Amino acid sequence: MPLKVDTITKAYVRDTGVFADIFNYYIYGGRKVILPEQLTERDSTKIALPYGADGAVIPVQKFRDVQKLYSEMTDGKMDYILYGAENQSEVHYAMAVKNNLYDALEYAGQVEEAAKSHRKEMKRKKEQGESFAGEDGKRPGAGEFLSGFWAEDKLIPSITVTIFFGSEEWDGPLSLFDMMDISDPDVLACMDNYHVRLIAPARMTDEEIMKFQSSLREVLLFIKYSKDSENLSRILKVNEKRFREVERRAADVIEAVTNSGIRYDESKEAVDVCQAIQEIRKESESKGRLMQAQESARKLYEMGIDTERIAQVVGYALETVTEWLGLEL
């Protein structure tokens, strides 16, 4: 992903309103279940220490685009879920492995954090002469000491969604099995698949995109039809009210991803995308007419027609025409 696009899309998705909208769409079909105030920013750096083939400890470091912790009080207890978003402007053909690794590193990190917590507590109890037994009077078993993860410990679920900021079809694999060439059902039955949870405009109907509540709706609609002038005009007209008041950071994403030439006052919080597109088209038409006039002037001059007559035919001043032709008055 180009640096500028990567930076702009990451900052945009990091917004809690947009982030919540992504997972409300993917998990709840657009229902407003996850609220922005229930999300807390997490360090997107993931470090784990899996064992290498020779028994050595190999540090692995990966950087998620955006990750947030969701917390909600349910039935008198707090529930937690980790949500991660990966932004792509190009198709990633190993996305299933990439996201699977992120989730695996997340769980490995949680196990390590649990082990650290238990070691710290056991050290405290030893120093104070207390028993290692828990509140239920049970001491940790050999397996618990070995793993550092107690039987009653629980992992926080980690869900990763990929947002493809591209107008083309995503033709990459959408699961680990898609990346393999195994037809033996007995072998497949022994393996766990991993699916890419993907949001990609070209794969979605307009009705599906309309389920988004944030400005991501306009971003995805515009990207989907950015190379289709007729349908772009249609969606701008159908959704005119919202497209006339697009928040600036969403307009930044649209411009960075599509290179549509949208210009706007960066000091303003809202952008009239409809007007910006109209201005681009008028400018394009004006340039087209100018180029056509210049080409006509050259052809007429080659036919031996005098410059005054050429100026009259193409509708431009004599000085302008002679300049086009590289002549002097």
Side-chain angles (χ1 to χ4, degrees):
M1 182 181 285
L3 179 59
K4 181 181 178 183
V5 177
D6 176 61
T7 302
I8 290 175
T9 56
K10 189 181 295 185
Y12 177 66
V13 169
R14 182 171 283 118
D15 175 79
T16 52
V18 174
F19 193 90
D21 199 23
I22 290 169
F23 288 89
N24 278 328
Y25 167 82
Y26 198 89
I27 300 174
Y28 301 108
R31 289 187 293 117
K32 210 169 184 178
V33 176
I34 302 170
L35 303 178
E37 56 268 27
Q38 294 173 308
L39 297 169
T40 306
E41 187 80 14
R42 287 258 299 189
D43 182 1
S44 59
T45 306
K46 289 295 154 205
I47 302 176
L49 301 172
Y51 288 103
D54 58 356
V57 176
I58 304 174
V60 176
Q61 185 174 31
K62 292 292 179 183
F63 299 89
R64 281 185 182 273
D65 283 340
V66 186
Q67 186 184 48
K68 294 183 187 290
L69 176 67
Y70 170 73
S71 55
E72 180 190 25
M73 184 67 72
T74 305
D75 297 330
K77 70 182 185 71
M78 190 65 77
D79 285 339
Y80 297 97
I81 302 173
L82 281 164
Y83 293 124
E86 290 299 306
N87 309 324
Q88 293 293 136
S89 64
E90 301 292 340
V91 176
H92 194 304
Y93 291 91
M95 205 73 211
V97 171
K98 181 181 179 183
N99 287 352
N100 192 16
L101 179 58
Y102 281 143
D103 288 340
L105 286 174
E106 174 57 51
Y107 294 134
Q110 289 183 39
V111 170
E112 179 58 26
E113 284 301 314
K116 281 183 183 178
S117 177
H118 292 315
R119 287 195 297 268
K120 183 177 180 180
E121 180 63 10
M122 285 190 294
K123 181 180 178 180
R124 184 192 66 78
K125 288 184 176 181
K126 182 177 180 181
E127 291 174 347
Q128 296 183 6
E130 298 179 19
S131 170
F132 287 168
E135 294 181 359
D136 58 358
K138 178 185 174 184
R139 290 174 60 88
E144 291 172 306
F145 274 113
L146 179 64
S147 64
F149 198 75
W150 277 200
E152 65 270 16
D153 289 337
K154 300 297 179 184
L155 293 173
I156 297 174
S158 178
I159 300 173
T160 301
V161 170
T162 298
I163 304 97
F164 179 44
F165 289 98
S167 60
E168 64 271 25
E169 288 283 349
W170 178 282
D171 62 353
L174 289 175
S175 72
L176 280 177
F177 285 3
D178 289 344
M179 296 177 66
M180 301 175 183
D181 189 15
I182 300 177
S183 56
D184 189 333
D186 293 324
V187 172
L188 289 173
C190 293
M191 299 176 63
D192 292 321
N193 201 0
Y194 183 94
H195 295 274
V196 176
R197 299 167 186 86
L198 180 70
I199 292 175
R203 295 170 55 91
M204 304 167 71
T205 64
D206 291 0
E207 289 73 23
E208 288 173 326
I209 295 178
M210 290 296 288
K211 292 179 180 179
F212 288 98
Q213 303 299 313
S214 70
S215 60
L216 187 58
R217 177 195 300 183
E218 286 69 56
V219 169
L220 296 179
L221 279 173
F222 195 102
I223 291 173
K224 178 179 179 179
Y225 295 115
S226 58
K227 297 178 181 177
D228 183 342
S229 179
E230 184 177 339
N231 271 313
L232 181 59
S233 296
R234 175 182 61 80
I235 67 109
L236 289 175
K237 184 176 181 180
V238 171
N239 303 279
E240 183 175 357
K241 183 176 180 181
R242 286 183 61 121
F243 270 107
R244 287 199 179 278
E245 298 178 345
V246 175
E247 59 180 341
R248 185 170 56 79
R249 59 187 172 185
D252 289 341
V253 173
I254 289 173
E255 176 54 28
V257 172
T258 66
N259 293 310
S260 298
I262 297 175
R263 294 190 295 270
Y264 46 89
D265 187 346
E266 295 187 1
S267 66
K268 295 183 178 179
E269 290 301 314
V271 176
D272 188 336
V273 173
C274 296
Q275 181 180 342
I277 293 299
Q278 288 172 359
E279 291 174 354
I280 291 170
R281 289 175 177 173
K282 286 179 181 178
E283 185 176 329
S284 178
E285 291 171 1
S286 178
K287 287 181 179 178
R289 287 194 296 269
L290 176 61
M291 291 176 65
Q292 186 176 16
Q294 290 173 332
E295 181 64 22
S296 297
R298 281 190 290 270
K299 288 182 178 179
L300 291 171
Y301 183 70
E302 290 170 0
M303 292 169 61
I305 299 175
D306 67 85
T307 53
E308 288 188 6
R309 179 57 180 157
I310 293 174
Q312 292 176 352
V313 171
V314 298
Y316 281 83
L318 178 59
E319 293 83 355
T320 303
V321 172
T322 55
E323 185 180 338
W324 293 346
L325 300 173
L327 303 175
E328 294 182 2
L329 286 173

